[in-house]
Amino acid sequence: MEVIDQLVMFGLTRQEATLYTTLLTEGELTGYEAAKKTTISRSNTYNGLAGLVEKGAAYIIEGAVTKYTPVSIEEFCNNKLRSLEQTKATLINTLPFEKVDNNGYITI
């Protein structure tokens, strides 16, 4: 399975996955630099980078120009798995379950 497809399984879009792998390879990048390196349009690049920050795969570095840096793949995956485990526990505790009919009958 391709790396991009595996990252999509962790909740990233294909563009976000492409940007994430580029950040891992290149290090800190501005949106403009990321767009140039990935050939993704600048508007889509900025949306993708914002998505990475929102999903916990990248950080913003404030300065004279805004740069983006990736979160380590181990940290990103662990955070996603921890979040899924918490969601699983919530669903188990809150979803309704099948009612058992206790009003049986006796045939004589």
Side-chain angles (χ1 to χ4, degrees), residues 16-90:
E16 289 168 346
T18 301
L19 289 164
Y20 181 68
T21 57
T22 302
L23 287 174
L24 286 172
T25 304
E26 301 291 329
E28 298 175 6
L29 293 174
T30 64
Y32 176 78
E33 293 167 334
K36 286 288 191 187
K37 292 192 181 293
T38 60
T39 67
I40 298 172
S41 73
R42 284 198 334 193
S43 62
N44 286 340
T45 296
Y46 283 105
N47 287 336
L49 290 169
L52 288 177
V53 171
E54 184 179 313
K55 294 175 182 178
Y59 294 117
I60 295 176
I61 300 172
E62 299 289 343
V65 293
T66 301
K67 290 190 173 191
Y68 299 84
T69 189
V71 170
S72 74
I73 188 64
E74 185 174 0
E75 182 181 348
F76 172 66
C77 291
N78 286 340
N79 289 342
K80 188 67 171 180
L81 292 172
R82 189 176 316 106
S83 173
L84 287 170
E85 282 294 329
Q86 291 170 345
T87 302
K88 173 186 166 186
T90 300

Side-chain angles (χ1 to χ4, degrees), residues 5 8 10 17 58 60 64 72 84-85 89 93 106:
D5 293 329
V8 168
F10 270 83
I60 295 176
S72 74
L84 287 170
E85 282 294 329
N93 291 326
I106 300 175

